[in-house]
């Protein structure tokens, strides 16, 4: 997809502390983590970033309950292909990327939901 605005919004939503946490998960520095975020946003299906039903994106802000179940289903379906694409682009191990995506994808979904409200 390559939406640099979405990449910036996700990085802003993460903040420096979570970027450092992500870097630790990846075994890299903050710049490496930011590169992984960029690659992950690019690898997301357009249906998620552009055309997802508002209800799906709207659940992103809910950490648990019914919304969390729906969010888990959506994230479960995209995390494998995204991890594979990010690993290929960045050279990071796919398993490591998959673990990092557990932290990153909920933030991405929250960011998308916030953008839709604007």
């Amino acid at each position: 997809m390559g939406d640099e605005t979405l990449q910036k919004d996700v990085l802003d939503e993460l903040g420096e502390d979570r970027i450092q946490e992500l870097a630790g998960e990846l075994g890299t520095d903050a710049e490496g983590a930011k590169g992984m975020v960029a690659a992950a946003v690019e690898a997301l299906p357009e249906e998620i970033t552009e055309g997802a039903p508002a209800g799906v994106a709207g659940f992103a802000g809910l950490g648990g309950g019914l919304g969390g179940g729906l969010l888990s289903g959506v994230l479960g379906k995209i995390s494998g292909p995204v991890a594979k694409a990010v690993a290929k682009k960045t050279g990071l191990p796919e398993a490591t990327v998959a673990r990092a995506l557990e932290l990153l994808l909920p933030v991405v979904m929250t960011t998308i939901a916030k953008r839709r409200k604007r």
Side-chain angles (χ1 to χ4, degrees):
M1 178 201 136
D3 184 341
E4 291 180 20
T5 305
L6 179 56
Q7 292 171 19
K8 182 188 177 315
D9 289 349
V10 170
L11 289 170
D12 289 347
E13 184 73 28
L14 279 168
E16 287 303 316
D17 288 344
R18 287 202 281 181
I19 289 171
Q20 290 298 329
E21 182 180 347
L22 188 60
E25 185 70 38
L26 293 167
T28 187
D29 59 9
E31 288 306 309
K34 290 175 183 179
M36 182 270 186
V37 170
V41 169
E42 285 181 17
L44 289 172
E46 193 170 301
E47 296 82 27
I48 298 295
T49 59
E50 298 294 330
V56 172
F59 285 120
L62 304 174
L66 296 174
L70 178 59
L71 180 60
S72 294
V74 170
L75 297 182
K77 288 183 180 182
I78 66 169
S79 63
V82 170
K84 184 174 291 232
V86 171
K88 184 176 180 179
K89 183 169 185 162
T90 63
L92 294 166
E94 189 174 332
T96 301
V97 172
R99 286 191 308 273
L101 287 174
E102 291 176 14
L103 170 71
L104 179 61
L105 288 177
V107 175
V108 171
M109 296 298 285
T110 298
T111 303
I112 291 169
K114 286 180 177 181
R115 290 176 76 170
R116 288 173 194 265
K117 289 181 182 179
R118 289 189 220 155

